Amino acid sequence: MSSIIRYLRLYCKFVQFGFMNLITWRAHLAIWTFVHAFELLINIVFFSAVYLRTNTIGGWNIYEVVILLGYMELLLGLGSLTFFPMMYDLDSVIRRGDLERKLVTPLDIQFVMSFPWIDTSDIFSLITGTLLMVYGVIKLHPMMLAFNILAFIILLVSSELIIYSIIVLLASAVFKVTRLKIDSLFWSVLFIGKIPITAFKGATYFILMFIVPIGLVTAVPARTLAGVFDPVYFGLSVVFAVVLFTLSRKLFLHNVRNYSGVGS
Amino acid sequence: MSKYLNIVRLSFASLLEYRFNFVVQFLSGLVGNVILLLFWVNLANSGVDIRPYTITSLVYYYFFMATVSSIVDFSSDQICWEIREGHVANVIIKPISYLLDNWFASLAEKSIILGGGIIFLAALAFLGYRPAGFEAGSAVVFLGVLLMASVANFMIAFIVGTLGFWMMYTGGIRSLVSVASLLVSGRMVPMELLPSFLNNLSYFLPFRYIYFFPVQVLLGQIESGMVVRNCMVLAVWIVILLAVVNVIWRVGVRRLEVIGT
């Protein structure tokens, strides 16, 4: 318990440094806030264009899609405040031999590698995302809202854990291959999550739900908040999170054990 | 010219050395197009009207769009980084153009993607699959249009990158340009499927001519008169962007300070 508190306090320090950076680079924050707001607008225009031609996308109405887009913003904001920076830094840390310096710190190496810095430039995504979700929920008036919100929070945590584990698994390749940038692949896959998963059929649906579990990470929590709670997918999401996290941690530690220094 | 050919040779060597990363980056670009294609195909199968497209022409559309995007897209991050770290000084003092240096350095990657696309298209044509309006002459026109589109988009990336003379990080501006161009370039949705105000707006921006126009040429969806007109518009955009590049570069280099070893 004391070690958890220790790591939480350390993480709070990282966040504090992140906010100090934020104040230093105010223009940077303004630009990224505008970029995310604009991207959100583009996505809304895109789906509005689709809904001009149909009333439903794979059984989702426009307000459910609004909740999905809001949820994606929230996911992005939380990811940036926690482990997203890991995927930008890992390649150069290993290539330049900086890993050795991190290995000698009296901390869990996965923790050190997972939070190299805190990206506070996406902080406003938390607000815009939440506002969109609230708007969608108000329009939909789902039954058992309190229960849905509780299930949604559990699913949000398991989704972040699944995404984190996927990043760690992808990052494992960086130990083997020099100059490998995984962030563009990650963003491409995350882009899929903005589309209601049931718009895909057959093998594509299966792959996106269970192999690259982007549907489990995005559609299931958004649908839950919209009032469509599915206990099977809820359970699957939690199990996936636990299994993937265990697997990714084992692989990460295995790679660190087999790492041979290359630095100066 | 030989010095620029050496740059191409070096970038080929670098590409082969880090080939796994090249494959990952290429696949990253492909994923979005495949997903958007599957999305529209499933919508069409559930009865949504996607005219003037058919499912087959949409398949070609997204395949060509993926290829065109991979060829005309340039990253401005390297330029910004070189300015920020002062490495740009190494190039300035050499008898080469920084603009051309960056352009030729990207040729290796682009030519491999183009070569792969041509081989894939030829194989499809050999098996009897080709877009309804496609003619052999379209392929030649396409190469010319693609070159112009690539130059125009390179200029945009160069302008964004050279903002590094004034800003520490240009990643936000790069993303802003990318996001702004998403709908009005046809990368997300074919222009005909967009609401008319967005379609009309796209004529006043360069992105339609950079992404959508080359795809239209390959699909054989555009008359020869319109090809000439669009090429002229693209040429005007290149001249405007080149003028902006020159101004930003001159002003930027004048305020450049490089300290250190």
Side-chain angles (χ1 to χ4, degrees), chain A residues 134-155:
Chain A
V134 169
Y135 174 74
V137 168
I138 289 171
K139 285 288 179 184
L140 283 172
H141 287 298
M143 306 275 279
M144 295 161 51
L145 187 61
F147 174 79
N148 294 339
I149 291 173
L150 185 67
F152 169 79
I153 291 169
I154 296 170
L155 285 170

Side-chain angles (χ1 to χ4, degrees), chain A residues 4-119:
Chain A
I4 291 177
I5 292 170
R6 183 174 163 231
Y7 281 107
L8 273 176
R9 282 175 60 190
L10 202 58
Y11 173 72
C12 288
K13 278 281 172 210
F14 292 165
V15 174
Q16 201 180 323
F17 286 132
F19 277 101
M20 282 162 72
N21 250 329
L22 186 77
I23 293 162
T24 314
W25 308 106
R26 287 183 293 272
H28 187 65
L29 169 73
I31 291 168
W32 275 111
T33 303
F34 185 69
V35 169
H36 288 306
F38 196 54
E39 190 173 12
L40 199 58
L41 182 72
I42 295 284
N43 284 319
I44 290 170
V45 171
F46 168 71
F47 281 109
S48 303
V50 176
Y51 277 108
L52 285 176
R53 293 166 181 270
T54 180
N55 294 322
T56 171
I57 301 173
W60 293 56
N61 64 36
I62 192 157
Y63 298 115
E64 287 173 311
V65 171
V66 165
I67 291 178
L68 178 67
L69 292 177
Y71 169 71
M72 289 299 290
E73 281 294 295
L74 186 71
L75 211 61
L76 168 83
L78 287 175
S80 295
L81 272 180
T82 49
F83 53 83
F84 278 2
M86 175 190 191
M87 62 183 160
Y88 308 126
D89 272 22
L90 196 66
D91 164 61
S92 65
V93 165
I94 291 172
R95 185 158 37 89
R96 292 176 185 170
D98 288 346
L99 186 59
E100 285 123 299
R101 195 167 48 81
K102 292 178 185 276
L103 277 170
V104 294
T105 53
L107 294 165
D108 181 277
I109 184 62
Q110 191 169 350
F111 176 85
V112 177
M113 296 293 282
S114 300
F115 308 107
W117 47 279
I118 300 295
D119 183 3

Side-chain angles (χ1 to χ4, degrees), chain B residues 179-197:
Chain B
V179 167
S181 71
L182 214 53
L183 272 182
V184 288
S185 63
R187 278 188 294 158
M188 214 165 172
V189 192
M191 301 304 295
E192 297 89 342
L193 301 182
L194 280 176
S196 55
F197 80 93

